[in-house]
Amino acid sequence: MTVSPAHAHEHPDFLRHHFNTPKQQFEAGKLGMWLFLATEVLLFGGLFVGYSVWRGNHPEMFKAGSIFLNTNLGAVNTAVLILSSITMAAAVTMAQRNKRGALMLFLSLTLAGAVTFLVIKYFEYTHKFHLGIYPGLKFYEKPAGDSHTLSGSLVNDAGGVDLVLVKGTGPLGQDVTVADTPEAEPTTVAPAAIGPAGLAQDALEPGDRPADDGHAEHLTHPLQDPHRPANVHMFFNIYYLMTGLHGVHVAAGIGVLTWLLIGAAKGRFSSAYFTPVDLGGLYWHVVDLIWIFLFPLFYLI
Amino acid sequence: MIAHATLLALLGTPSPAKIPGSYFGMPEQASTIAGDVDWMYDFITWLCIFFFVVIVGAMVYFVFKYRRRAHVADTGGPTHNTPLEVTWTVIPLILVIAIFYIGLKGYVHITTPPANSYEIEVIGQRWFWTFRYPNGAAETNILHVPVGRPVKLTMESDDVIHAMFIPAFRVKQDVVPGRRTELWFEATREGEFDLFCAEYCGTQHSQMIGKVIVYDEDEFEVVIEELARWIDKVPDEKLHLAGALMYNQCSSCHTLDGSDLIGPSFKETHELFKAAGTRQLIDGTTVAVDDDYLQQSILKPLDQIAKGYPSSMPPGIGTQLGDRKLQALVQFIIRLDEVAPDGNLIEVNRQDIVVEEVEAEEAE
Amino acid sequence: MTTIDVTKPMPPEAGRPAEGTNYLNHTTGIKSWLLTMDHKRIGVMYLVSILTSFFLAGIFGLLIRTELIAPGHTIMDADAYNMMFTLHGAIMVFLVIIPSVPASLGNFVLPIMLGAKDVAFPRLNLFSYYLWVTGAIFAVAAIIFGGVDTGWTLYVPYSTTGTEMNGIIFLSMAVFVLGFSSIFTGLNFIVTIHRLRPPGMTWFKMPLFLWAIYATGIIQVMATPVIGITVLLLIVERAFGIGIFDASLGGDPILFQHFFWFYSHPAVYIMILPGMGIISELISVHSHKHIFGYRFIAFSSVAIALFGFIVWGHHMFVSSQSPLMNVLFSAITFSVSIPSAVKIFNWLATLYKGSISLNTPMLYALSFIFLFTIGGLTGLHLGTLATDIHLHDTYFVVAHFHYVMMGGAIIALIGGIHHWWPKITGRMYSEFWGRIACGLVFVGFNVTFFIQFVMGSKGMPRRYWDYTDKYMIYHVISTVGSYIMALGFFITAAYLIHSLFRGRKAPANPWGGRSLEWQCSSPPPAENFPEPPHVGDCYDFSVLEWDEEEQGYHWRHDIPHPVGEA
């Protein structure tokens, strides 16, 4: 807004007033984007560390929970994202080569990949909700297809009490079901040894649990498994949290790609100025990369 | 005194027995580790004083000596001196390594309970401590320990994080829900010492305090024996007085004078009982305030939450009591007008209500 | 819009206050401020907002001290007291100290010191400011809708299931949003320093303040995302009870503490490093002597930033983290004290053979050395395992971090405000009242907090609304001290505001500084430098001389003033 007329003639339109050269502006933008992506990686890094800690404390709940994820859908989504990364890279190259039509084509393909990913994710989520596998304590309310009542305390095979549900009012004034362990002896609530919660109570000996005899395959809800370890709901909480945050980033990516597509249609990008396409591409690659880690962590191992 | 500490610092042989106490405001020493900790504290403090005097002394001297006498734009003078700068990097480094080492030595001792420790279970709840002894005795907010014998506390929390802190013993340990944490000490002196909750735990955090009482070994045995059995020796007609002795467990949430704290005042409950009245519950129903209600609301407090009050009473309280103590509390509320006629508890001594014959009769 | 003639800065040799336009008056109207992308105006808006928050949280602090003047109920009940110390801590940390120096003074002087026209991303800079405002609104919402009494540390499970006050969700959102404000500020500054240095401005020609801001930026970018995800998890846990931090549901409350301190310990260096940067400038300029050991000071800032990431566990020595972790964290903690000590010694050596003007900014700088030395040295007690077990969560810790946070960061901020006040506002304040107020703050501060070391050693736990009688005398002294300190701050506010209207017009270079901002007029023009300015050794003051008539320094007449690139 304070660009003086004298400066305007030496500056291309896209060059903002406080930069001296387009190269300086491009490099500033690129460094800024890399730093921003570093913060994104650290944001997810907290969750990845949490994943390691929770998994380290409760390997059995990850084992019992992960069989309810659909590996095929996850694999398709992984392929979709990898393909969209390739088309994004192609889009950047097309911008650098001044090929506006090809740029728009590849941006559209990338966008299509992003949308496909979210659609598949939507079906995965809604299928689980349909089965009663909800995030939070709703998980314990009404597993579909389960005939016996699950109110009251849930005693699992390991002898521990999962939790006891108490109806009450939530912090936002909503009706919630909160967990409490009023009847439980301290020994079932707290582990017997110093260490993270549940280490002693939940660690099942290999013989305690029917090995992968396939009987878990036809279950539609973890609570139907009488041999389930305590706190199996935690697996799904972590799953929803990490894939949910990733999904938010994919949705943001759709916004960015749409904006780029509009810019490309208006002819804003050229071999002299392709910074937004390049930076948008960097962001998209990082979003893909995070999924490349999420997929094996939840679906495969 | 200063020379003494300096000498000890130079020799590097902390010898708590010979040290009278901290020079710098640490509280009285009453455990085996207190002397060591204070020695370290004093050593570091002397080091700090030395550096503080050097730094601030130099600063004040320079400010005086080189104060501005005219508007000089630049005075020249040295701009760097690498050997000097390396020196004042390396010397503090060596010093902090030394401090780390002595701190480490003391710490290893502090975290390793001796094998023959006397074990006491501790439960932290908002806002009181419960101590349970191997013989079944339990006491609230007062920790009885023997002198000259290592004591190990095994601690659990029923709600949020608390921290056991006994300044005179120089020990502190967080009490974390879902974990059992340990803390040990060996008292060196008989007497009464403060016991605090040091991790913020809510409204009455500053009331979550108690006493440690240190006895000689024989007296300690008598005390906890008495603690385990006294309630059985109270005759039925005096149970309400026994309840009065236990009221300190309830006092952070329930008053005797009708004013509100976290939970309903016992006075209100007592009056409802007398009038055979009913109480409104949070779910809209009402319940008759009778003998059964009093028992149930202690045993299963979350089932019947009185309207207008939070559901924050830990269910563990009632179940830990045992039948006799539960009856004592119920009788205490029923006969509140006798034990707290004007909202203030009358003075009750355990010796006065315990009848030794009760036990004798049963024995026959 | 302005014409090029008036955006040109006054040539330094002219030395007179700029007549005509500057960044303050080149455009007018409320919109020209609220939508500005000028780093100077954004810096001023930050300064005003942050000082308002400081006032509010300071009032909370005074209320806390007043409540504690006697045991039991004095002016408020326990719940109100718990809310008071929570808000005092949360506002001071997240709304005041973390953004204070970088976002206000850093925003104002960084591009000018560098010789740039603005920061790399002016729009992002404005966005950061509005994120700060949003965070502040959330913090206020936390007070209004439900209150919050968790302490600024937000420890679970108290914050998730322990408290009845529902403001915790708003406060967590405030922390999340403020975190991103801080990230974008740090990101902006790092890119600016990397990419917008004019020709001739090499890394080792940068003023030390910029090294400090750069090191701070690294921490802001690398640590803050972790608190972001932590409070996000806290919100989810509190709102839906999913149990990730709840031991009875399979979570881990200690994990929260690791996450929290992974950010909040480096955040201590976000708070103190820019303060140290200011002190390096103040000590050198007001001693009229080249800074001593430039490279050691510069590298020590970076060393503090890097070491700061791996010491967080020293907040958790009694948390039930494993003894081995405690030992490792204790060892690394000591290593972080070395670069701080190096700075102190270098500042002392700068004083040596200087010509020390005891101006108000210099008095604050000397206070900083005094107070930070105490704050730093008492850190040794807390880093040592055996003594920390006794001192943890007592008033000793409260005293220690106030000596570092307030005696360090806030005193440096106030010193920096006085140093750059003529540059920012174009007005001089009353030196007489400035010195009086500085003295009151210094004395009041020490009376308030030194006694807390003693109190803490004697076992007084922190966050206690009530206490036993034996601690009363210390509390009384501490409270009296806080009133003295408050008086000092009110005087400061009064003469600074007075100077805006009645102050003498400031010369371009009242103190004799050599860094580039002193070559602009006071206040600087809208675009700082029309051409990249000449860059010299910013601590070589020998090119300046005093001008009695304008009461400031200017370029020596016998040396030709270099123009443009060196």
Side-chain angles (χ1 to χ4, degrees), chain C residues 510-558:
Chain C
W511 316 121
R514 171 77 197 274
S515 46
L516 293 175
E517 79 272 24
W518 303 111
Q519 296 185 31
C520 289
S521 55
S522 298
E527 286 221 322
N528 306 345
F529 306 98
E531 303 297 333
H534 167 74
V535 177
D537 180 345
C538 59
Y539 296 105
D540 175 14
F541 307 114
S542 60
V543 297
L544 304 173
E545 67 184 1
W546 172 254
D547 184 328
E548 191 63 38
E549 189 190 335
E550 72 178 56
Q551 290 289 304
Y553 292 80
H554 59 64
W555 201 268
R556 265 164 65 175
H557 290 298
D558 50 344

Side-chain angles (χ1 to χ4, degrees), chain C residues 214-408:
Chain C
Y214 182 77
T216 308
I218 293 175
I219 312 176
Q220 286 175 306
V221 168
M222 295 297 156
T224 318
V226 177
I227 193 77
I229 195 69
T230 309
V231 293
L232 219 52
L233 291 175
L234 179 62
I235 292 169
V236 177
E237 169 99 34
R238 168 87 186 171
F240 307 108
I242 65 176
I244 39 184
F245 295 133
D246 186 338
S248 64
L249 295 178
D252 188 352
I254 299 300
L255 181 63
F256 176 87
Q257 297 182 18
H258 279 293
F259 277 171
F260 182 83
W261 290 113
F262 181 85
Y263 165 74
S264 294
H265 193 76
V268 169
Y269 301 110
I270 295 178
M271 305 185 221
I272 194 69
L273 270 174
M276 291 171 157
I278 289 179
I279 299 306
S280 297
E281 299 301 313
L282 265 52
I283 294 279
S284 176
V285 170
H286 294 272
S287 301
H288 303 282
K289 178 159 166 283
H290 195 290
I291 190 84
F292 187 90
Y294 176 95
R295 284 182 187 236
F296 266 73
I297 298 183
F299 285 132
S300 65
S301 289
V302 179
I304 289 174
L306 298 182
F307 279 128
F309 274 101
I310 45 175
V311 300
W312 78 87
H314 68 218
H315 294 268
M316 299 167 61
F317 284 162
V318 301
S319 73
S320 79
Q321 115 186 314
S322 82
L324 177 65
M325 297 261 277
N326 284 347
V327 169
L328 292 175
F329 277 120
S330 170
I332 309 170
T333 299
F334 282 112
S335 68
V336 85
S337 64
I338 302 301
S340 310
V342 166
K343 279 181 196 281
I344 298 256
F345 293 135
N346 277 295
W347 292 329
L348 288 181
T350 305
L351 294 176
Y352 174 67
K353 288 195 171 172
S355 169
I356 299 166
S357 320
L358 289 177
N359 300 317
T360 310
M362 188 60 171
L363 289 178
Y364 277 105
L366 297 173
S367 304
F368 177 98
I369 294 183
F370 183 99
L371 302 174
F372 183 75
T373 299
I374 296 178
L377 286 171
T378 50
L380 296 177
H381 295 89
L382 298 172
T384 307
L385 287 163
T387 43
D388 178 70
I389 288 179
H390 175 69
L391 298 171
H392 182 83
D393 270 333
T394 66
Y395 266 78
F396 193 95
V397 177
V398 176
H400 163 72
F401 71 69
H402 277 92
Y403 264 89
V404 177
M405 297 291 83
M406 180 152 189

Side-chain angles (χ1 to χ4, degrees), chain C residues 68-219:
Chain C
L68 288 173
I69 201 165
H73 188 292
T74 313
I75 55 167
M76 59 181 104
D77 64 16
D79 278 330
Y81 172 82
N82 293 340
M83 193 164 142
M84 230 22 105
F85 77 66
T86 301
L87 292 169
H88 171 75
I91 294 178
M92 280 293 189
V93 169
F94 293 113
L95 281 166
V96 180
I97 306 181
I98 285 178
S100 63
V101 176
S104 61
L105 297 176
N107 241 323
F108 191 93
V109 297
L110 177 136
I112 314 184
M113 271 187 166
L114 210 54
K117 289 184 187 129
D118 208 323
V119 292
F121 309 114
R123 245 182 308 203
L124 187 66
N125 201 14
L126 184 65
F127 181 61
S128 300
Y129 174 71
Y130 282 107
L131 281 180
W132 186 95
V133 173
T134 313
I137 291 171
F138 276 129
V140 173
I143 305 175
I144 297 170
F145 302 110
V148 50
D149 67 342
T150 59
W152 78 277
T153 46
L154 311 172
Y155 269 19
V156 296
Y158 186 76
S159 56
T160 50
T161 53
T163 174
E164 302 277 323
M165 295 194 186
N166 288 318
I168 178 71
I169 289 182
F170 288 105
L171 188 66
S172 304
M173 282 156 84
V175 173
F176 184 81
V177 171
L178 290 167
F180 273 88
S181 168
S182 176
I183 287 174
F184 290 139
T185 303
L187 185 154
N188 223 334
F189 290 171
I190 293 179
V191 176
T192 308
I193 289 173
H194 266 282
R195 295 289 178 227
L196 266 64
R197 275 176 292 130
M201 177 61 89
T202 59
W203 283 92
F204 290 105
K205 278 188 182 167
M206 292 198 314
L208 287 165
F209 180 58
L210 298 190
W211 273 97
I213 293 283
Y214 182 77
T216 308
I218 293 175
I219 312 176

Side-chain angles (χ1 to χ4, degrees), chain B residues 29-88:
Chain B
Q29 301 175 349
S31 77
T32 49
I33 63 162
D36 278 342
V37 172
D38 288 5
W39 184 87
M40 272 173 250
Y41 178 87
D42 287 356
F43 173 72
I44 298 169
T45 309
W46 280 119
L47 207 64
C48 291
I49 290 173
F50 171 76
F51 274 100
F52 178 76
V53 168
V54 167
I55 291 169
V56 173
M59 182 179 92
V60 171
Y61 175 72
F62 289 159
V63 166
F64 178 76
K65 174 126 195 255
Y66 303 112
R67 67 188 180 277
R68 186 181 70 184
R69 293 182 170 88
H71 284 289
V72 185
D74 191 304
T75 58
T79 62
H80 61 93
N81 182 330
T82 309
L84 184 63
E85 291 173 65
V86 170
T87 308
W88 68 42

Side-chain angles (χ1 to χ4, degrees), chain A residues 180 182 186-187 191-192 194-195, chain B residues 156 178-180 182 300 302 315:
Chain A
D180 215 316
T187 46
I194 294 182
Chain B
E156 285 173 17
R179 296 188 175 202
R180 282 187 184 159
E182 288 179 354
K300 296 179 176 176
L302 296 177

